[in-house]
Amino acid sequence: MRSPNFYTYAFFNTPDFPVNLPSGNLGELLLINGKNISAVVEPGISLEVSQNNDEQVIKMVLAHDRVISELSCQITVLPLRFGTYFLSEDTLLNHIESHAQEYQEKLNNIQGKNEYTLKVIPQKVEELTKSSGINGRDYFLAKKQYYEQQKSFFPAQNEEKSHLINVISETYQSSAIVQEHVEEIRLHLLVDRYDQALLLEQVLSLQEKCPHWNFTLGEPLPLYHFI
């Protein structure tokens, strides 16, 4: 038996045009209209039933992202976290009304923009392998050159990282989120959808100035990191 829950994918300004609702996880989606803010919901989904079924959870996560992506192609949305639901339509409408001003301000800030993720991965110093064609003296000379290369490689790489983060922070300011991980740097950028070509030029320029790093720019996404 399906739960009466209203699983909620996203909020957006109540539209004055028809929105094409995609299919949901189990069935059709509904548009619940508040005074100024609307919600896209799928009634009857219970996360508790699926929480011990990894395959089902993965399916639901993929459906959640797909629905938000398809909606984002039509209208500016506030994507909600996976697992957001309300116990009834009245509970949902009360929530929308009490947070209407907050949500409208957020929607105004992200109107006409996309989120891009730029992954910057450090290159590695090429490993020295002893070839059967190199004698002992030549091998030790090559080994010495390798360690000297290492001494200059990592300082240059760190200097480029600082340059990269400074340029991104100055260019995008509050529209950039920098996440440093051991294996890579992730830069989440809030970009006007008409400035994609400019973003590509900036990435190519940064790649030229940071040759000790590899750059990968992802496709435009809903604004998960800026809501």
Side-chain angles (χ1 to χ4, degrees):
M1 181 177 177
R2 296 184 71 179
S3 161
N5 294 338
F6 281 77
Y7 185 91
T8 309
Y9 290 92
F11 297 140
F12 46 74
N13 286 318
T14 299
D16 55 4
F17 58 89
V19 175
N20 183 26
L21 298 179
S23 60
N25 180 57
L26 297 177
E28 294 184 357
L29 303 185
L30 299 177
L31 188 61
I32 304 295
N33 293 322
K35 184 177 181 181
N36 296 306
I37 301 293
S38 296
V40 172
V41 306
E42 182 172 358
I45 290 184
S46 175
L47 296 179
E48 289 78 7
V49 173
S50 304
Q51 63 183 357
N52 294 321
N53 185 331
D54 291 344
E55 183 177 348
Q56 183 63 27
V57 170
I58 291 172
K59 177 185 174 184
M60 293 174 71
V61 170
L62 293 175
H64 183 90
D65 289 343
R66 174 182 54 77
V67 167
I68 291 173
S69 294
E70 291 186 31
L71 289 171
S72 296
C73 294
Q74 305 176 64
I75 192 170
T76 299
V77 305
L78 285 178
L80 300 181
R81 293 183 182 278
F82 171 73
T84 300
Y85 69 92
F86 295 86
L87 297 177
S88 68
E89 182 175 344
D90 286 342
T91 304
L92 170 58
L93 286 171
N94 288 336
H95 174 85
I96 288 175
E97 292 307 313
S98 62
H99 293 81
Q101 183 176 350
E102 172 192 349
Y103 292 154
Q104 283 183 317
E105 289 176 356
K106 288 183 176 181
L107 285 164
N108 289 338
N109 288 336
I110 64 175
Q111 182 69 36
K113 297 182 179 180
N114 289 319
E115 177 180 322
Y116 290 84
T117 297
L118 176 61
K119 293 183 180 181
V120 187
I121 302 171
Q123 293 184 4
K124 296 181 179 179
V125 180
E126 202 172 307
E127 292 293 337
L128 180 69
T129 57
K130 185 172 181 178
S131 169
S132 57
I134 301 179
N135 62 34
R137 187 167 183 269
D138 289 339
Y139 173 75
F140 283 112
L141 179 60
K143 189 173 182 180
K144 180 182 178 182
Q145 292 174 339
Y146 169 72
Y147 285 122
E148 289 177 350
Q149 180 187 10
Q150 269 191 322
K151 286 167 62 177
S152 63
F153 184 91
F154 293 112
Q157 193 173 64
N158 287 330
E159 185 176 342
E160 290 172 5
K161 181 178 79 169
S162 297
H163 172 74
L164 164 68
I165 293 175
N166 287 337
V167 169
I168 291 295
S169 299
E170 290 175 3
T171 303
Y172 291 94
Q173 299 181 10
S174 61
S175 298
I177 296 173
V178 180
Q179 296 178 334
E180 293 191 50
H181 303 276
V182 174
E183 69 282 1
E184 67 183 17
I185 302 171
R186 291 185 186 179
L187 304 164
H188 303 288
L189 307 174
L190 185 61
V191 180
D192 190 291
R193 65 185 54 172
Y194 299 111
D195 286 341
Q196 183 180 26
L198 178 60
L199 174 62
L200 292 174
E201 289 179 10
Q202 292 170 335
V203 171
L204 290 174
S205 176
L206 285 169
Q207 176 69 87
E208 290 178 358
K209 295 176 181 177
C210 302
H212 294 79
W213 298 80
N214 294 322
F215 287 60
T216 302
L217 182 64
E219 295 295 321
L221 297 171
L223 283 67
Y224 290 109
H225 290 87
F226 294 92
I227 59 172

